[in-house]
Every structure is written in C-alpha cells, then in structure tokens.
Amino acid sequence: MLTPHRTETRRLTWLRPALFGLAVLILIGLIGLLAMDLARKLDKLDRATSDNVEWQLSQMEVEYLGLVDVLENTRTAADLPELRRNFDIFYSRISTFREGMMFDGLRQAPGFSVTLDKLAGTLDHFVPAIDGPDSALLAALPEIRAEFRSHRPTIRQTALNGMVYFAERSDETRNSIAATLERVSAVTAGLIAALVGLVFVLWHFYRRAQFHSREAESSGARMTAVVETAPDGVIIADLGGVIRDFNDAAQRIFGYDRSEVIGRPMAETIVPQDARAAHEAGMKRFVETGEARIVGRGPVTVTARRKNGEEFPLELSLSTSHDAEGGAIVISFVRDITHRVAAEQELRVARDTALAGQRAKDRLLTVMSHEMRTPLNGMLATLELLEETGLNDRQRRYASIIGHSGETLLSHVNDVLDISRIDSGAETQTASTQIMDFGAIVRDIVDEQSALAQRNGSRVLADLPKATTVRGDPAALRRIFANLVGNAVKFTQNGRIEVSADRLGSSDMVEFRIKDTGLGIAPEDCARIFDDFVSLDASYGRSTSGTGLGLGIVQRLVRKLGGEITLDSKLGEGSLFRVRLPLPSAAEPAAARVAPAAPATPPVRIVTSEPLRILVVEDNEINRLVVREMLETIGHSVTEAVDGIDGVQAAAARRYDLVLMDISMPRLDGVEATRRIRSGGGASCSAPIVALTANALPHEAANFRAAGMNDTVTKPISRKSLQRALDLATGRGGAPAAHRPKDGSGPVNLAQLDELRGEIGQARLEQMFGLFRSEADATVAWLSDAPAHGVPAAEALAAVHKLAGSAAVFGARSLHAHLSELDNMAKLGQLDQACARLPEISPIWADTVAAYECIDSLAPRRAARIAASG
Amino acid sequence: MRRLTTLVSAAALILSLGGMVHANGSFPDPTGAVLLTITDPDAGEKIALDRAGLESLPRRSFETTTIWTEGVKTFEGVPLSAILNRMGISEGKVRLTAVNDYSVEIPVEEVLQNDPLIADLVDGQEMSLRDKGPLWLVYPYDSDTRYQNETFFARSIWQLNRLEAHK
C-alpha cells in the first residue's frame, strides 16, 4: 500500500505543521516586539522628567507675594527674621528655576530667562542687606520694598509665559501619548487580526482533523464491512504468524470458528503439516530480510488445511501493512479453488481426450489411405501388365473400366492424404521456393486437361504474360491449377475454359483467373464450396465423381503460400476463380533452370538397351511382382530382396547395374539400406540407387540424396517411371525434374500436337494418333527389315517419305528430321547410303514412342493399347 | 546666614555641655539650632533635632542627579527609616512639612521599602535655606527608574523642618 502519492501526502502533512509553527513563531515575535514597544512607551510615561512645574510656577508667585507682603508689614527688627526667611525661600525658588534640569525647557521659553536673570539680579543685589545687620536692613527696607513691588507685573508675566510654555509642552506630551496610543492600538488591531487569523487557521485545522478523523472512522468501518463480507477469505496475522483476524469467508473455507484461531499461529491451524517448515522459513526470511517471495506478487496456489484435516488447493495473495500501533501485519487473501482446479483438470482431460481422438482419427485416415494406396498401386500396375497380354476388345473395355475406377479411387485416396498432410503442416515445412516458370506449369495443365475438355465439347485456352519466371513452389502451384482447371473442365459442357494470369502492377502478387462457362455455383454455395467434402449437386457429382476435397486442398495451399482465392459465380453462366499468389519475379531465363534432357541423344532405348541386372528391394510382394514383370518384359534380369537388410546383403554380394529401393520397409528402411550399401564397400556400392516412394516430399528427396540415392521414382510404378530409373542406370538420365521433353528439344514437338489438337479436337486427335502410331510401328518394322528382305531402295524410300509426312503432322520431331534427311539423300540420288541408314529409324521411333507415352493428354495406356492392337 | 547657623549651633553645643539635656530617651536634646521638629501625636510629644541630634543617628550617602539641580551630587544624611525606627513607628503615615509649608504624606510602609534619605549635606556642604536647606528628602533617582516619577518627585521635599508621624 506504500504508493508514491502516499509519501507525497506524508510530506504535505509534515509541511503543514511546519508552516503553522512558523506562523505562530512570527506571531509570537510580533507580540514580543509589541510588548517591548509598549513597555518602552509605558516606561517613558512612567519616568516623569518633570515635577509639577505649574505648581512650581504658582509657588514662585505665591512666594513672591509672601515676600512682598512681609516687606509691606515689616516695621521693626522683630519682623526681620520673617523677612529673611521669606527672602531665602523666594531666593531658593528662583535658584531652582535657574539651575534645575527640569526647567531646561522652560528656560528656553521667550523672555523667561531674562525675567529670571532680572529677578536673580535683584535678589543678589539685596543679599548683603538681608545678611547685614538689622539696622542696615531696616534702612534699606523702602528700597527693597519698592524694588520687589516693581517686579509684580514681571512675575505675573513670567508665570503666564511658563504656563503657556507648559500648556504647549503638555499638548506635545498629550500628542506624543496619543501617537503612542495610536500605534499601540494599531499594533493591537494587528495583533487581534493575527489572532483572528490564527483562530481561523486553527479552526481550519480542527475542521480538517475532524474530517480526517470522520473519514478514517468511516473508511475503517467500510474496511471492516468489506473484509467481513468479502467473498474471499481474509486472514490478518502478525509477523510471528499469529492470527489476528479471520473473516466470515475464511471461516467458511477453513471450517474454523473465528474464536478458535485468533491468537493461534497459522502454522498450527491452516498450514498443512508438510508445508509448515517452508511456511515458517518464509515468515522468518520476511521478518529478517524483508524479502518476500509471495507478498505483492499476485496470487499463488498453495495447499492449505481445513479444520477437519482435509488438504485443498488455495489461491493466496499476500500484502503487508501496519496496525494501529505501527507493528507490521501480513494480510492474506485466500480463495478455495478446489472446484476450479477440479474443473480445470476435467477440462484438460476432456481436451486431451478429444485431441487424442482427433489425432487418432487423423492417423487412422492417413494410415488407411496409405494402406489403401499400396494395394491400389499394385492393382493398377498389374492391370497395365494385364492389358498387354492380348485381351480381346471386351476384356480390354472391362480392363479400361477397372483402370478408370482404380485411378479415380487412387486420386480420392491421394486427396485425403494431401489434406491431412497439409493440415499437419508438412507442406508448410517443405514449401520450397525455387525459380520456376508458372507459364510452363499452366500450359502443361491446360494440355493435360484438353483431352477431357474435348470429350465434353469444350476448349481450354491459356492467356499468359510474357514474363512467367518467378520464385515459388512449383509443386503447390501445379496442384492448385490441376484442381481448378480440372474442376472447370468437369463442370463445363460445350463451353470455354480460360486460364489467364497477370502481375498486379509491380508487386509480387500474380493474379490467376480460371474462368469457365459451365454450370456455375449458386451464391449461397460460394462460401461453402471451399469446405471439405462439399460436392454440389449430387446427381451431377455422381457423373463427375469427386471427393469434394479438391477446393479444400486448393484453398489450403493458397493460404499456405500466402495468397488468397475468391470465387465469382452465377448459376447457369459460369464461374470465375481468382487466385492471388505472391510470386516474386525472377530474372533468370526459364531455360536456365528447367534443364531439359540432353537433347542430342534420344533418352530412351528400352528395347534396344543392353539387358541390365537390376536389384529390386521392396517389401510389398505385388509391387515386387509388378516391377519384375515390367523389367523382365523389356529384357532385364531382376533380383528381388524383401527388405532393407536382405537388400544390403544382395547388393554386397553382386554387382548390379541398378538398385530400385523402396523407402518404408520393415527391419531396415531404404534410406538406411542405401547408406549401408554406399559405405559397405560391397560389389554394388557404386551402383545407381533409385528410391521408390509413394509421396516424396522435397525435403525427403534431399534426405534420400544425402543418403546416397541418385534419384526418386514416384509410385504408382509404371513404365514411364521405370524408364527414368533405367535412364539413370544407363547414364542417360540426370534430368529427374523433366522427364518429359519440352518444346524445341526432344523427339516430340508438343506445340505441334497442341496445334493439331486445337484444329481437330482431342477425340479426333487421339483417333488419328492411334492410326499414325499403328502405321509408324508397321512401317518402321518393315523398313528395319527391308535391306535384309531385298526390298528395292526406291520403294523403301517412298515409304520413308510417306512416314516423314505423318511424323511432321504429329510432331515427331526427331523421327521427322531423320526421315527427311533420308528422303533428301534419296532425292539427291544417294539411294545406297540412305538405305544403309534405314536401321537407325527403329531406335529413334522407340524414343519417340516413349516420349509420346509421357504426354498425359495422349493417354499412355491408350497409346499402349493402340500399340498393342497394332 | 551660614555664619548665623554656625553661631546658633555653637551656642546649642555650649548649652548641651551645660547639662541641659532633654528628658527624651530616644533623641538627644538639641543644643544648637533646631533643624527638624518631630511630632508624635500618639506620644503627645515634640522632639526637636539639631545637627548634632541628626549626626547621632545612623547615616548614609549616595550619588545622584536630580531634576532640580545641575550635575551629579553626593547626598549624605539620615535615612527616614532610622528616625521612624528610633520613634518606634513601623506603620501608618509620616507627614513631612517644609519651611514654606509645602507638605507631603508618605505611608510608613513605603518609607521602609524605598528608604529616602533626609540629607543634611550636599557634596559635603551644609545646605542653607536658599539652597533648599537645611534638610532635603531625596531618593537615589539614578539608581532606579522607579524613582523617576511624579510621586517620588513630589515627595522629594526640600527646606524640610517638620516631621509628624502617627501609627
């Protein structure tokens, strides 16, 4: 409670008495001065410097008259003593006037001194006569008589002069006294005023004191009421821990009656046995050092003890104060938090249970999806093998349905896995930013979706800016557009799907717009369309099929990338999805980082390549079977290992050209197995090792490489993916990110194909492509054998010319180039040389076919089926 | 006049030597000129004191100025209390009267407090009637301001020749 303003108040209360004391001192000083002044004045009045001068003056006249009277009546010598006595008395009187200090002033009065001198002269003149013999004195009597008689008016005048002088002196004195009295009364008035002021000040202090005392009284009463009625327990104890007060709430909490605890130490009553030592140590520390661990630190939770011995959690706040006698006291505010603690515990348990349940569900979902996918992959791969076993049309149709259904199922499972992976944060952790070309991604997706769009009678168009090289996460971007464009294609019949992009000013944001003229979405559905498992229009949903997770994935990805997605749609008119993503522009040209496969050398020569010894390390039996079948079909020899340990042993025992390594396996996983193979120094320690994994995330791929793996092949295993692994083994690989050749390089010109698709539509393209492929297969086979069968050069070269034309139409760049060259040689008459190079056609065609199989829109299985039927 | 007084005093001395002693137990009978006549109405007697009589009493002196004279003077004489003592008077009033009949009355109590001096010598000289003699009741004015007021000035009677005391 010792707040700064309190100390200020204290300073003020200290100041006031000091000022008051000063005022009193000043007043006392003033009173002292006044008293001294008065004393001086009174003293002055007290010391009369004059006798009664009027009396003296009248005595002078009386004595003069007495002398004159005696003079008149002196006849004989017997009268002379009387005369002499009167003379002497008058003489004495005049001497007194002339000499006395009291008559200094009077002597200054005009004419007085002259008169006195004259009288003194007369007196002195007659002294010899007076002191002489009686006879002489009697003789001188007439002269003396006449002389003194003549002084009568002078005496009278002298007396009057003296009277006037003394009247003036008296006035002066009176005035002086009046002035003094005036001063005295002024000072007295001042004194009275000061006293009145003092009284007022005292009254003011008295009122304040009274107010404060009332205030203190009422605040004391209020405090008592507050303490008594407080919902929290209040315990007041001294520094010895002895309880001084114990309010109602404390009685309820602890079960003690006030009278039972007051005067007893807290340690014996409310502190549990095993906390007493700590309690006493704390109190001791506080008393000795003033160091408080709990005081003023806000509420802490401690264990307390009720009267019945029950221990319970207590919330405790401490503060210190002083009692009326100034002794330190400790005030404890306590609250029984038994219920709260119990409720919190209950909530915590409930939350933990719920979280555990949610986690278990998520885990179940993930595990289930994963466990579903593995057999599904096996099914699809086996189906691929099955389709190559010479099925009749009906069987092929059924197999195709199984294939479609299986792929749909796989995509659903992948969706679920994606959602749980994004939600678990895996995507964020690995959201990589790398230099990439979003234009290429969008075009790829547009290409991929064009086939389906054509089946619905729709077209997909892309309108992209020139600068499309940015920093971003290409995998996420690919997923976003695959879903959005896929959706648009799905819900648009005989319409248009436009994908456009623009950079917003010079910012990092790029806005993508995916616009369709499809069904559209009702306004009330626009918000929930991004929710998980939302599929609008069940009937249409059936025909289009979907988990309803696609937009959920899109929205999650967009948010993870720091972007936003909005939807603008009108039912029946179409939808417009806007995606804004931060994709800072990158200066490097796109060609620099999307490293295409070495363009000069056709990448795939599966059929003609030398048979390779391949070790397949895979715990899943179906997958092993599928891989073995695929590889053996194309002439390689395969050794199987059922787990990592098995694999490491096999790799040590023999030199393999390639090791295909599954990642998750019992006993020893692929990463660790690779590490051991690389460091083991066995026969295959330097063989290319390719990871087989279902969902390789970028950081995992980095892990794999760190362990010594050369590349990663993503399941489901297909010929396509195997080709990459084989390319690696034969030294033609090295372009893991771009297994599909791009425009301007590679055996197939995609732009050419796109153009053709634009002209004739997807369906027709596929149909025509099938014919082209059958024709090419047959022609190439025939030409390869032509020299041996003695086919005339001109006839063979005519076939070359014809095939060159078809190759140009379908963008078979390498094949076209080679055939054109032979054609040109023939035209130049170099028939023999041209015929000698006919066998080169076959491998080029094989590369080209491989390239065609990588083009999604041409549907590899379809191509394979066409090839098989051919 | 002084000569006369001397003569009178000498005559008085001769008379006293002649054995004409008054039958007064307290004061010696005068033989010279009477300076002070003391009347005690209770005792019903008159006592006359000449210079010798005065000199037979306890004497005292002090220096002071007065408002009626010029300069500091030494006054010597008999404390009035000594006369009252000799008379056996310790209360009542004492009346003092001068040659010119000026008269003052002083409470005995105050006499005992302030003890004025009946001076017969000023600066060692006797005082003639012309010089406020032969006796002058004085207070030591300079010693205390309490003597410097009208009451004490009025009581300072000169040319004193009579004293009347009654209990």
Side-chain angles (χ1 to χ4, degrees):
Chain A
M1 288 297 281
L2 269 179
T3 52
H5 89 266
R6 174 74 176 270
T7 47
E8 202 167 300
T9 313
R10 186 172 292 174
R11 196 184 307 134
L12 282 175
T13 53
W14 166 86
L15 200 64
R16 268 194 220 113
L19 284 171
F20 176 71
L22 195 65
V24 166
L25 278 177
I26 290 169
L27 284 169
I28 287 172
L30 197 61
I31 289 166
L33 284 173
L34 288 168
M36 281 167 67
D37 192 47
L38 272 175
R40 211 164 50 237
K41 302 274 182 199
L42 286 171
D43 193 45
K44 234 174 182 175
L45 282 174
D46 207 32
R47 281 203 238 171
T49 51
S50 63
D51 194 351
N52 195 328
V53 180
E54 287 88 343
W55 163 260
Q56 300 270 358
L57 282 171
S58 68
Q59 279 307 103
M60 179 177 78
E61 209 170 352
V62 165
E63 283 162 8
Y64 167 76
L65 290 175
L67 176 61
V68 169
D69 185 47
V70 169
L71 277 173
E72 296 294 336
N73 296 317
T74 299
R75 298 281 180 270
T76 66
D79 298 324
L80 289 180
E82 180 73 7
L83 173 63
R84 286 188 176 110
R85 200 166 54 96
N86 277 286
F87 181 88
D88 283 355
I89 288 167
F90 186 61
Y91 189 99
S92 174
R93 182 69 60 190
I94 297 302
S95 297
T96 304
F97 273 113
R98 294 184 70 193
E99 291 164 14
M101 290 192 305
M102 66 181 284
F103 305 110
D104 282 350
L106 186 62
R107 281 195 292 271
Q108 305 299 321
F112 196 82
S113 283
V114 177
T115 312
L116 278 182
D117 289 347
K118 212 189 277 174
L119 281 170
T122 303
L123 284 167
D124 284 336
H125 177 71
F126 291 117
V127 162
I130 293 294
D131 289 349
D134 291 353
S135 55
L137 181 56
L138 285 173
L141 264 179
E143 188 201 344
I144 297 171
R145 196 177 288 138
E147 181 66 25
F148 277 102
R149 213 181 269 152
S150 71
H151 280 301
R152 179 182 288 267
T154 317
I155 290 287
R156 189 75 201 153
Q157 192 55 47
T158 305
L160 288 174
N161 284 349
M163 290 307 286
V164 168
Y165 170 74
F166 276 100
E168 284 169 4
R169 282 292 304 270
S170 169
D171 275 352
E172 271 175 37
T173 308
R174 203 167 40 246
N175 286 344
S176 161
I177 288 171
T180 304
L181 280 176
E182 249 170 52
R183 271 199 294 279
V184 167
S185 55
V187 169
T188 306
L191 185 63
I192 287 168
L195 286 171
V196 168
L198 192 63
V199 165
F200 177 78
V201 168
L202 287 173
W203 178 76
H204 176 68
F205 276 107
Y206 166 73
R207 284 290 304 275
R208 288 194 56 151
Q210 216 175 19
F211 173 76
H212 283 309
S213 124
R214 267 203 307 271
E215 188 83 335
E217 211 171 282
S218 75
S219 98
R222 228 164 28 229
M223 273 311 298
T224 307
V226 165
V227 166
E228 280 315 315
T229 58
D232 288 349
V234 177
I235 302 167
I236 298 172
D238 61 22
L239 286 184
V242 175
I243 296 170
R244 297 260 197 93
D245 203 355
F246 204 75
N247 77 343
D248 289 348
Q251 296 187 77
R252 283 196 299 276
I253 292 171
F254 290 97
Y256 278 109
D257 190 73
R258 189 177 284 117
S259 60
E260 292 176 287
V261 287
I262 286 182
R264 288 179 64 195
M266 290 189 282
E268 284 179 16
T269 48
I270 57 173
V271 177
Q273 191 77 44
D274 50 2
R276 277 174 198 173
H279 164 77
E280 274 161 7
M283 290 296 282
K284 198 171 163 218
R285 186 184 56 238
F286 181 66
V287 171
E288 284 172 359
T289 67
E291 183 202 343
R293 296 221 177 130
I294 301 177
V295 172
R297 299 281 173 86
V300 294
T301 302
V302 297
T303 303
R305 185 174 163 274
R306 291 192 223 277
K307 186 183 179 184
N308 62 14
E310 182 197 341
E311 293 186 1
F312 65 102
L314 184 78
E315 194 177 79
L316 168 68
S317 303
L318 289 183
S319 68
T320 54
S321 187
H322 296 275
D323 60 13
E325 288 80 41
I329 52 171
V330 177
I331 306 165
S332 314
F333 300 91
V334 298
R335 185 178 292 177
D336 185 350
I337 53 167
T338 310
H339 296 306
R340 200 177 81 193
V341 167
E344 279 172 1
Q345 183 59 28
E346 217 167 282
L347 270 177
R348 205 173 295 125
V349 168
R351 186 202 61 193
D352 289 349
T353 311
L355 282 178
Q358 183 61 38
R359 272 197 297 272
K361 232 189 289 180
D362 288 349
R363 207 163 46 243
L364 177 73
L365 202 59
T366 310
V367 169
M368 276 304 295
S369 302
H370 191 80
E371 293 307 318
M372 281 163 75
R373 194 166 54 171
T374 304
L376 204 52
N377 281 337
M379 259 176 60
L380 289 172
T382 314
L383 191 65
E384 212 173 308
L385 292 174
L386 182 67
E387 283 175 335
E388 289 170 16
T389 54
L391 303 177
N392 62 30
D393 284 352
R394 203 163 157 196
Q395 287 169 325
R396 197 176 294 118
R397 216 160 46 240
Y398 294 162
S400 169
I401 291 167
I402 294 169
H404 278 296
S405 303
E407 295 215 333
T408 306
L409 184 55
L410 185 62
S411 87
H412 293 346
V413 168
N414 282 339
D415 280 353
V416 172
L417 267 177
D418 281 341
I419 289 276
S420 61
R421 267 200 315 178
I422 296 169
D423 284 350
S424 73
E427 294 280 325
T428 324
Q429 285 158 20
T430 59
S432 62
T433 51
Q434 59 187 70
I435 293 172
M436 58 158 208
D437 179 359
F438 74 75
I441 291 169
V442 171
R443 274 191 294 272
D444 283 354
I445 285 161
V446 168
D447 288 349
E448 286 165 16
Q449 298 292 337
S450 285
L452 180 60
Q454 268 176 350
R455 273 214 295 270
N456 291 340
S458 301
R459 290 181 66 192
V460 186
L461 302 170
D463 176 18
L464 300 172
K466 281 180 185 165
T468 55
T469 305
V470 294
R471 285 179 185 280
D473 182 348
L477 218 57
R478 189 178 293 279
R479 281 303 299 271
I480 292 167
F481 294 122
N483 273 319
L484 291 177
V485 178
N487 265 352
V489 167
K490 245 196 274 182
F491 296 112
T492 305
Q493 300 281 338
N494 302 314
R496 261 166 89 88
I497 295 100
E498 288 173 24
V499 181
S500 55
D502 279 309
R503 184 169 292 281
L504 297 178
S506 56
S507 70
D508 285 346
M509 297 301 278
V510 176
E511 185 183 84
F512 298 93
R513 292 173 296 276
I514 296 93
K515 187 179 167 192
D516 66 54
T517 57
L519 292 174
I521 299 158
E524 62 268 24
D525 294 324
C526 284
R528 68 183 188 99
I529 191 112
F530 292 105
D531 294 346
D532 290 339
F533 302 108
V534 169
S535 243
L536 299 177
D537 187 8
S539 63
Y540 196 68
R542 260 202 308 281
S543 66
T544 53
S545 81
T547 51
L549 287 172
L551 286 175
I553 292 170
V554 167
Q555 193 179 40
R556 280 175 172 80
L557 287 172
V558 168
R559 282 181 183 163
K560 298 250 171 181
L561 295 177
E564 56 177 2
I565 180 165
T566 56
L567 166 63
D568 195 0
S569 184
K570 246 185 194 166
L571 204 58
E573 290 183 18
S575 304
L576 170 62
F577 284 90
R578 288 174 200 269
V579 179
R580 290 183 179 190
L581 293 171
L583 294 171
S585 162
E588 290 175 63
R593 40 68 226 143
V594 182
T601 319
V604 182
R605 290 173 188 268
I606 292 175
V607 178
T608 55
S609 65
E610 289 172 19
L612 300 175
R613 288 188 301 278
I614 299 173
L615 174 64
V616 176
V617 188
E618 165 68 80
D619 65 323
N620 185 295
E621 203 184 335
I622 296 168
N623 282 352
R624 269 205 315 277
L625 176 71
V626 168
V627 172
R628 172 190 275 278
E629 284 291 321
M630 283 183 173
L631 292 173
E632 285 183 347
T633 308
I634 53 178
H636 302 295
S637 66
V638 172
T639 305
E640 289 178 32
V642 297
D643 59 29
I645 288 174
D646 201 9
V648 172
Q649 283 171 357
R654 211 182 134 183
R655 159 87 186 136
Y656 290 98
D657 297 314
L658 175 67
V659 179
L660 294 176
M661 180 74 77
D662 185 28
I663 296 300
S664 29
M665 287 181 293
R667 296 217 290 168
L668 188 68
D669 71 22
V671 175
E672 187 51 34
T674 303
R675 233 173 249 131
R676 291 191 191 179
I677 291 169
R678 288 288 184 232
S679 62
S684 297
C685 69
S686 60
I689 301 176
V690 174
L692 294 175
T693 180
N695 271 300
L697 300 172
H699 79 277
E700 288 172 338
N703 242 3
F704 301 162
R705 271 193 296 280
M709 291 181 164
N710 300 73
D711 202 355
T712 303
V713 167
T714 309
K715 293 175 185 177
I717 293 158
S718 63
R719 284 189 180 183
K720 182 167 67 174
S721 54
L722 282 177
Q723 267 169 23
R724 292 181 53 213
L726 294 169
D727 286 349
L728 190 79
T730 54
R732 284 193 288 262
H739 55 271
R740 199 175 67 180
K742 296 291 169 194
D743 291 357
S745 66
V748 175
N749 185 342
L750 290 173
Q752 181 81 35
L753 268 180
D754 283 348
E755 212 177 297
L756 185 62
R757 184 186 294 116
E759 285 164 11
I760 63 175
Q762 176 73 18
R764 186 93 179 107
L765 174 70
E766 283 178 34
Q767 191 185 357
M768 287 183 63
F769 180 73
L771 293 173
F772 161 62
R773 191 162 167 189
S774 306
E775 178 207 7
D777 277 337
T779 310
V780 169
W782 180 73
L783 283 173
S784 299
D785 296 333
H789 291 103
V791 175
E795 195 181 332
L797 290 169
V800 164
H801 178 78
K802 189 183 170 205
L803 187 59
S806 304
V809 169
F810 288 96
R813 186 190 289 132
S814 303
L815 181 67
H816 176 248
H818 189 70
L819 294 175
S820 297
E821 200 181 340
L822 297 185
D823 194 27
N824 286 341
M825 286 166 81
K827 282 173 186 160
L828 293 170
Q830 302 164 342
L831 293 179
D832 287 341
Q833 289 98 315
C835 283
R837 292 183 63 185
L838 281 177
E840 288 176 20
I841 297 171
S842 181
I844 293 172
W845 174 236
D847 285 349
T848 307
V849 168
Y852 278 134
E853 283 182 358
C854 293
I855 300 169
D856 294 344
S857 61
L858 287 179
R861 275 188 320 281
R862 193 178 306 274
R865 278 197 300 277
I866 293 165
S869 67
Chain B
M1 178 96 184
R2 191 172 292 166
R3 208 179 305 148
L4 177 75
T5 313
T6 313
L7 281 175
V8 171
S9 302
L13 184 67
I14 292 162
L15 282 172
S16 72
L17 288 172
M20 290 175 69
V21 176
H22 195 273
N24 189 309
S26 302
F27 300 100
D29 286 336
T31 53
V34 172
L35 298 183
L36 183 64
T37 304
I38 299 169
T39 309
D40 185 350
D42 299 325
E45 61 177 355
K46 268 192 176 178
I47 299 157
L49 283 178
D50 60 3
R51 185 160 296 275
L54 283 172
E55 284 172 353
S56 72
L57 291 164
R59 293 182 72 80
R60 212 179 65 199
S61 71
F62 54 75
E63 288 188 351
T64 187
T65 62
T66 78
I67 60 170
W68 308 277
T69 55
E70 210 177 347
V72 176
K73 295 195 180 303
T74 304
F75 292 89
E76 189 184 334
V78 179
L80 178 53
S81 61
I83 294 174
L84 295 179
N85 266 345
R86 188 65 61 90
M87 290 169 72
I89 289 171
S90 58
E91 55 183 13
K93 287 176 179 169
V94 58
R95 174 165 289 280
L96 300 166
T97 308
V99 177
N100 64 355
D101 296 332
Y102 178 76
S103 183
V104 295
E105 197 172 60
I106 307 171
V108 173
E109 195 185 340
E110 286 186 32
V111 170
L112 296 177
Q113 273 172 18
N114 301 310
D115 202 11
L117 189 68
I118 297 174
D120 54 4
L121 292 174
V122 175
D123 291 339
Q125 299 291 316
E126 292 176 11
M127 291 176 282
S128 70
L129 196 58
R130 288 174 200 158
D131 297 323
K132 302 183 178 65
L135 303 175
W136 187 358
L137 185 82
V138 287
Y139 290 84
Y141 310 102
D142 291 352
S143 71
D144 196 325
T145 53
R146 73 186 155 112
Y147 297 123
Q148 300 172 10
N149 65 41
E150 313 262 351
T151 305
F152 287 95
F153 290 155
R155 285 175 183 174
S156 301
I157 180 169
W158 60 75
Q159 295 169 333
L160 170 69
N161 66 347
R162 283 162 282 175
L163 186 154
E164 183 186 324
H166 39 97
K167 291 171 185 171

